[in-house]
Amino acid sequence: MNAPSSPAEAARLHAEFVKGLWRENPVFVQVLGMCPTLAVTNSAINALAMGAATTAVLACSSLLVSLLGRFIPAQVRISTYVIVIATFVTVVDFVLQAILPDVHKELGAFLALIVVNCLILGRQEAFASKNPPLAAVLDALGMGLGFLFALLCLGATREVLGNGSLFGIDLFGPAFEPWVVMVLPPGGFLMLGLILLLFSWRLQRRAAAAAEEKR
Amino acid sequence: MSDFELPPEPGSTRLVATLTVAGLLAGLLLASTYALTLPAIEANAAAALQRAVFQVVPGTTAMRKLVLTGGRFVPADGSEAKDAVAVYAAYGDGGRFLGYAIPGQGPGFQDTIKLLFGYDPQRELVVGMQVLDSRETPGLGDKIFKDPAFAREFAALAVRPEAVVVKHGTGTLPNQVDGITGATISSKAVVRIVNERCAGLLDKLPAAAEVPPAPKEESR
Amino acid sequence: MTGRGHRLDLQAAPFLHTTLSTPRLMVEVILCTLPVLAAATWFFGVVALLVVAAATAGAVFAEWALATRAPRGNTLRDGSGVLTGLLVGLTLPPAIPLWMAALGGFVAIALGKQLFGGLGQNLFNPALVGRAFLQAAFPGALTTWGAPRGFLDVPASTFALPFLHGGLDGMSTATPLALHKFEHTTTGLWALFSGDVAGSLGETSALVLLLVGLWLGLRRAFDWRIPVAILVATALLGGALHLLDPVRNPGPLFLLTSGGLLFGAVFMATDPVSSPTTPRGALAFGAGIGALVVVIRDYGGLPEGVMYAILLMNAATPLLERVSQPRPFGRRRAA
C-alpha cells in the first residue's frame, strides 16, 4: 500500500471512502443487508456491535481479495470470496464470544449470518477485486461505517421508544411506558419504512427543485 | 456481470489448487483464533453459570457439579457424557452445604425457556429461580425475568404438593405462585418446568448428609 | 364520489345509486356515533369524552399535517378524519392515557389512510389500524380495564405525560370475554345488553349499537349485508361450537352481545372503502369476519378477536371483489 502520490489520487481515495457513508449508503440507498438491519436493531448496542462486526469482516475481506485478486481464477472467484468472508466471520464470532459474551448472546445466529450479507459479497465482486488494496480498504470502511450508521439510527430510535433507554442508560425513569412493538420485528419494519420514506421524500423534493430551476 | 469477460478456462487443477489453498489458509487462521480465544470463552461460560448458581441459592460461595450416572448423582470428573443430567451443589461459608441449583428447560409462549432454580433439601423448598434464556413477548412474558416480584415468588416455594400458578395477588399457600397479569402462559410455563424437574430429580439427589464435601478452593 | 359535485364520473360496474355524497355520509355516521358516545359517558364518566376527544384531535392533526398537501386533494373538510378519530377513541379502554389515544388517532390517519394515498385508497380500516398499532405498542395499557367509578372521577393514568404510564391505580377488572375465557364465569345477558360491563368505551351497550345499526341500515348509509352476515355467521358457528363443548365455548347470545362484535359490525366492517362493494362479496366478507371472530374467541390465546378478524378480511377484500363481480347481462358463464 503506497501513500497517495498526487492530490488527484488523494481526492479519489477520499471519494471512495465517503460515498458509502451517505450518498450510496448500503441500507438507506442501496437497501442491502436487510436481514441484520431488521433483526438486530432492537437496541443501540446490538446495532453498534453488528455494524462494527460487519465493518471488520468487510475491511479484512476486501483487503485480502484486493491483494489476491489476480491469483484467483475467475471461475472460482465467488467460492473463494465466500471462503474468505466465512473465515473472517468466524474469527469475529470467536473474538466477540471471548471479549463481549453478553453482546454475542444477543446477536446469536445473526453474527454467523454476516456471511450471507450481500453487501459484503457485493463489495468484493464490484470493487475490491478490481481495485488496489488501499482503495479497496477505504471503500470497505466507508460502506461498513455507512452500514453501521444506518443500523445505529434504527437501533437508537427503537431502543428509545421500545425500552426508554439509549445504550442501556435509562432516559425516562420508572414511569416510562415502553412501545413494545418497537423492539419486536414489526417495529423494525415500521422504523425502516419510516426512514426510507424520509429519504425518498428528500430525494423527491430535491428532484422537484431541480426541475423547477430548469424551467 | 456483463462487463466481466471470462478468461480462457485455466484447467481444473488450477481451480482445485486455488480452493484448496484458500481452504487451508482459512483453516489455519480459524484454528489459531480458536486456540487463542478458547480459554476466555470457557471462562466466560463458567462465570455466567457461577453467577446464576450464586443467585438462585442465596449465600453460595462455592459450587460443585454433580452428574447423574447410573441412577445417582456423583461429582463430575470430566469423564461423564456431554448430555448427562447435571445439578450443582452449592456451599456457603466454611463449606456448609446449602442446596442444589437445578437447570431446567421447556416450552414457553414463544420459544424454549431455559432456567435455573435453587432447591434446599433440608427445608424441602425451592429457594430461588433465574431465567437464563427465553424469547417471551417483551412487555408481558418477559416479566418472568424482568419483574423482581415474580422472582420473589420462588424465594420459598413448596413443591410438594406440586407448585401451582394462581391469579395475581391471591397466592396464600406455600405452594402457590402469583401469576403475572397478562402473561399467564409464560408464568405457568416457568412453574411447569420447575415441577417437572422436581418430580424427576428430587428423589435421586443425595440427601444433605451424603453430599460430597465442598471443593477445596473458593469456587472453581 | 369526490364530493365536489357537478362532475361526470365514468366508472365501471357496479354502478351505485346514492343520494349521499361523502361529506353527507360522514356527517350522518358521525351523528350516529353520538348516542354511542353518550352511552360510554353514562357508563364510564367524563373520561370517555376526554379519550374520544384526544383520539379525534390526533386524527384531525394528522389529516391537517398530511392531507392538506396530498396529491389527491384535501380531505380535511369532508369529515372522514373526524370520524376515524371518533371510532379510534370509542374502541379504547377508559383508563388509557390521553397521549396514547391521540397517538392512536394520528397513526390511524397517517399509517392507515394517508400512506396508502388518502381517502378511498386504503386497504385496511384506518381506525382499526390505529387501534392495532396501540395494541401492539402498549399491550398492557390496551388490556387494562378500569373498574366503574364516579362520573367526574378520572383515573390517574388519564393525564399521564407522553411516554409515561402515570401509575396504575390498581382498580382494574376483566371484560366479560376475559372472565369467560380465564375464569369461566359468564356475565348476565341483561348487563351485556344494556352495557353495564367492563370493556372499550363504545362497545359495551348492545342495545344502543343495535338501534344505531338499524337506523344506519335503514338510511342505506352502509351495506346491510355486511353486519347481518357477521351476526348470522357468528351465531351459527358459535352456536355449533357451543353445542360441541358448552363449558369452554360460550353460547351465541353471549358471543353476539359481548366484546366489540356489534361495534365492529356496525361501524368498522361497514367502512365502504375497505369492504367489498359487490353484494355477494359483502356477504362473504361478513361471514368471514363472523367465523374468524368465533375461532379467535373460542380457540385463540386472546379473549377478543373482532379487530383482527376485520383487518384480516380487509386484506381479502380485493380478492372477494374480483371473484364476486356480477356477470354482464346476457353473457354466458365462462366455461
Side-chain angles (χ1 to χ4, degrees), chain C residues 35-326:
Chain C
V36 182
L37 184 56
T41 315
W42 173 260
F43 290 116
F44 298 105
V46 70
V47 69
L49 295 175
L50 292 176
V51 169
V52 172
T56 311
V60 172
F61 173 74
E63 193 89 337
W64 172 79
L66 300 168
T68 46
R69 267 168 273 161
R72 288 189 166 269
N74 188 349
T75 50
L76 180 58
R77 292 184 181 282
D78 67 13
S80 60
V82 174
L83 178 60
T84 301
L86 282 170
L87 292 181
V88 171
L90 286 172
T91 59
L92 297 177
I96 191 172
L98 294 183
W99 68 267
M100 284 186 199
L103 180 73
F106 183 87
V107 170
I109 295 294
L111 213 64
K113 193 166 99 174
Q114 296 302 345
L115 207 61
F116 287 93
L119 184 65
Q121 308 297 312
N122 45 297
L123 179 59
F124 297 100
N125 182 323
L128 286 181
V129 170
R131 195 196 192 275
F133 176 82
L134 288 181
Q135 170 97 54
F138 313 111
L142 266 276
T143 47
T144 305
W145 314 94
R149 40 172 83 228
F151 185 75
L152 288 175
D153 189 7
V154 174
S157 52
T158 303
F159 291 114
L161 292 172
F163 296 107
L164 306 184
H165 54 62
L168 298 167
D169 50 8
M171 293 263 287
S172 76
T173 177
T175 61
L177 281 166
L179 283 173
H180 185 276
K181 183 150 211 142
F182 300 124
E183 320 269 320
H184 303 290
T185 50
T186 307
T187 312
L189 273 183
W190 172 247
L192 287 170
F193 193 66
S194 67
D196 195 10
V197 291
S200 298
L201 292 171
E203 72 180 22
T204 58
S205 176
L207 176 66
V208 173
L209 288 169
L210 278 176
L211 289 176
V212 167
L214 210 58
W215 168 257
L216 282 171
L218 290 174
R219 291 278 299 162
R220 297 273 186 276
F222 58 59
D223 188 346
W224 59 268
R225 291 175 188 85
I226 296 174
V228 169
I230 293 177
L231 302 187
V232 170
T234 308
L236 288 182
L237 184 61
L241 292 173
H242 178 60
L243 290 180
L244 283 179
D245 187 352
V247 180
R248 180 196 155 105
N249 301 330
L253 267 180
F254 178 80
L255 281 175
L256 289 178
T257 50
S258 62
L261 187 80
L262 282 171
F263 188 84
V266 170
F267 285 110
M268 296 297 191
T270 52
D271 170 24
V273 177
S274 54
S275 61
T277 48
T278 56
R280 283 191 300 150
L283 285 175
F285 177 75
I289 292 175
L292 281 171
V293 167
V294 173
V295 170
I296 296 176
R297 283 186 182 177
D298 283 1
Y299 299 104
L302 294 168
E304 174 62 309
V306 172
M307 174 175 76
Y308 297 118
I310 297 177
L311 285 172
L312 280 171
M313 290 310 290
N314 281 164
T317 293
L319 188 68
L320 286 176
E321 278 189 333
R322 246 181 81 168
V323 299
S324 64
Q325 279 295 330

